């Protein structure tokens, strides 16, 4: 994200970096990500029974908390801004102009806290799920989460 300064000769750039180890074998992927939410009903990519049970402790609320910390570092209420964003996405989900948009698919998955409840709803994920539900119920997200002075949704989307 680039932000021009009043001098217009200087631009401040911000980037978020994530490092992770990619699987080198298909059997190391714990969830069949190719089938999730795609409508694909074939058998070639069905989830296999593995002798070694993989337990993934990475939850979406960990990502939300990281974003909260970043926004708080800029002097805003990170928690309120993330909750407002999830509420607004509940009211008006992300849309794309193209058919196959990988970034849209990733953002849609990551910004839906309901994707985090396969083992049940945890206490940590409850505020994020409630925020999404408030949006789906068409409640006034700006009024509910009025402690946010920044619109995160406006940073990466446009209203059409």
């Amino acid at each position: 994200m680039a932000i021009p300064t009043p001098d217009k000769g200087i631009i401040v750039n911000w980037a978020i970096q994530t490092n992770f180890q990619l699987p080198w074998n298909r059997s190391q992927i714990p969830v069949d990500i190719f089938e999730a939410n795609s409508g694909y009903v074939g058998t070639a990519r069905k989830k296999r029974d593995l002798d070694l049970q993989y337990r993934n402790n990475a939850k979406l609320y960990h990502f939300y908390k990281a974003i909260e910390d970043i926004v708080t570092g800029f002097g805003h209420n990170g928690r309120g801004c993330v909750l407002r964003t999830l509420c607004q996405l509940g009211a008006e989900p992300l849309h794309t102009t193209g058919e196959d948009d990988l970034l849209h698919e990733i953002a849609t998955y990551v910004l839906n806290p309901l994707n985090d409840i396969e083992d049940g709803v945890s206490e940590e994920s409850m505020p994020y799920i409630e925020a999404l539900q408030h949006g789906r119920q068409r409640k006034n997200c700006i009024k509910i989460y009025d402690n946010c002075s920044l619109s995160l949704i406006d940073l990466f989307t446009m209203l059409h």
Side-chain angles (χ1 to χ4, degrees):
M1 177 172 66
I3 302 171
T5 62
D7 183 17
K8 296 190 194 257
I10 300 173
I11 296 178
V12 178
N13 289 315
W14 298 95
I16 297 174
Q17 178 178 343
T18 303
N19 296 308
F20 54 93
Q21 182 177 356
L22 292 173
W24 59 87
N25 186 321
R26 174 68 177 100
S27 65
Q28 293 174 317
I29 301 175
V31 177
D32 197 341
I33 61 174
F34 302 108
E35 184 180 21
N37 299 324
S38 70
Y40 177 76
V41 293
T43 59
R45 298 193 185 272
K46 291 288 182 190
K47 187 175 182 180
R48 299 182 183 114
D49 291 329
L50 303 174
D51 293 334
L52 178 63
Q53 291 295 324
Y54 177 81
R55 181 77 176 141
N56 184 359
N57 66 353
K59 298 291 184 183
L60 290 173
Y61 68 82
H62 293 139
F63 171 74
Y64 304 144
K65 288 181 183 290
I67 298 300
E68 287 173 12
D69 291 342
I70 292 169
V71 173
T72 300
F74 285 108
H76 302 282
N77 182 332
R79 176 78 158 199
C81 291
V82 168
L83 293 175
R84 179 192 288 186
T85 300
L86 292 174
C87 180
Q88 290 172 321
L89 288 172
E92 184 62 43
L94 296 174
H95 301 283
T96 182
T97 55
E99 286 183 28
D100 297 324
D101 188 351
L102 180 61
L103 185 58
H104 173 261
E105 292 295 324
I106 291 170
T108 300
Y109 180 84
V110 169
L111 296 173
N112 183 350
L114 294 175
N115 291 326
D116 211 8
I117 62 170
E118 72 180 39
D119 298 330
V121 177
S122 67
E123 185 179 327
E124 293 91 350
S125 63
M126 200 59 201
Y128 306 107
I129 294 170
E130 287 175 351
L132 183 75
Q133 296 297 348
H134 287 155
R136 288 183 174 176
Q137 296 165 359
R138 301 288 186 207
K139 294 185 178 177
N140 187 339
C141 300
I142 295 172
K143 186 175 180 181
I144 295 172
Y145 304 105
D146 62 350
N147 54 356
C148 176
S149 58
L150 173 70
S151 175
L152 295 178
I153 193 118
D154 289 341
L155 293 176
F156 63 91
T157 64
M158 290 183 355
L159 188 61
H160 289 275

